[in-house]
Amino acid sequence: MEELKQALTDIQTTESSLIGYLNDVLNEPDGVSQLMDGRIGRLFELAKCYKSAFDRLKVTSRAEFQEHIKRGYRYAEIRDLDEDIVNLEGEWDGILQRIDQSLKEDDTGVELGDTGPVNVMLTDARTGQETSLTEYLGHQSLVLVLLRHFA
């Protein structure tokens, strides 16, 4: 039961810390943009924490993980940790919904026939040089792959 208790404690601590981090970032001016422009990578700490918990308990799915928790429910510490994590997950979901709503509000949208952001500077993956979409428009065919890495 100690392995389960430690796994749940780690998840609780990590999630609580990340919720505090998110609230701090989102309370800054232009916080959502800052989060999307590179600070979002820290959120993957929670996935790493769950992976460590799964490895520690030798489970491979959320259902197996929940089964371990269910077997430990006779212990008050396990119940308390699980209930706290459920509450934290609700808070986490609420924050992510707030971020999602903010991003939707910032989305100006493009309608058919509108001119897109063709003057945005991009990096040509083949040459490494800065370029804009304007330089490619008008060619007979164009395959455009836009990549964004958050970590």
Side-chain angles (χ1 to χ4, degrees):
M1 218 34 61
E2 277 306 309
E3 292 291 323
L4 177 59
K5 180 182 168 190
Q6 188 59 53
L8 292 174
T9 300
D10 291 349
I11 291 168
Q12 175 198 41
T13 302
T14 300
E15 192 159 16
S16 181
S17 169
L18 289 173
I19 287 171
Y21 168 76
L22 276 173
N23 282 324
D24 289 347
V25 171
L26 295 175
N27 286 330
E28 293 175 12
D30 206 25
V32 172
S33 293
Q34 289 183 35
L35 187 66
M36 294 297 114
D37 288 339
R39 295 173 73 181
I40 198 168
R42 180 153 178 224
L43 302 187
F44 293 102
E45 288 177 21
L46 188 57
K48 291 176 191 173
C49 188
Y50 269 98
K51 183 194 180 314
S52 294
F54 279 33
D55 290 346
R56 175 179 286 154
L57 299 172
K58 297 175 180 52
V59 298
T60 58
S61 70
R62 182 73 182 220
E64 290 177 36
F65 183 62
Q66 293 293 40
E67 194 59 40
H68 270 273
I69 294 170
K70 191 189 308 184
R71 286 194 301 260
Y73 243 66
R74 65 179 168 237
Y75 302 102
E77 289 177 308
I78 300 298
R79 273 194 315 274
D80 292 345
L81 285 165
D82 184 52
E83 289 169 8
D84 194 31
I85 290 169
V86 167
N87 291 333
L88 288 168
E89 286 176 351
E91 193 174 341
W92 176 271
D93 289 344
I95 291 169
L96 294 181
Q97 287 173 354
R98 206 170 92 209
I99 292 169
D100 190 41
Q101 184 61 39
S102 177
L103 291 172
K104 285 179 184 175
E105 290 169 3
D106 290 346
D107 185 14
T108 57
V110 178
E111 299 291 327
L112 184 61
D114 288 352
T115 302
V118 294
N119 293 322
V120 173
M121 295 307 291
L122 305 169
T123 302
D124 185 319
R126 287 180 290 144
T127 65
Q129 299 202 357
E130 292 290 311
T131 186
S132 70
L133 291 178
T134 307
E135 293 180 33
Y136 293 101
L137 296 176
H139 297 290
Q140 290 207 333
S141 62
L142 172 66
V143 176
L144 180 64
V145 179
L146 300 174
L147 302 175
R148 182 166 184 181
H149 181 66
F150 290 112

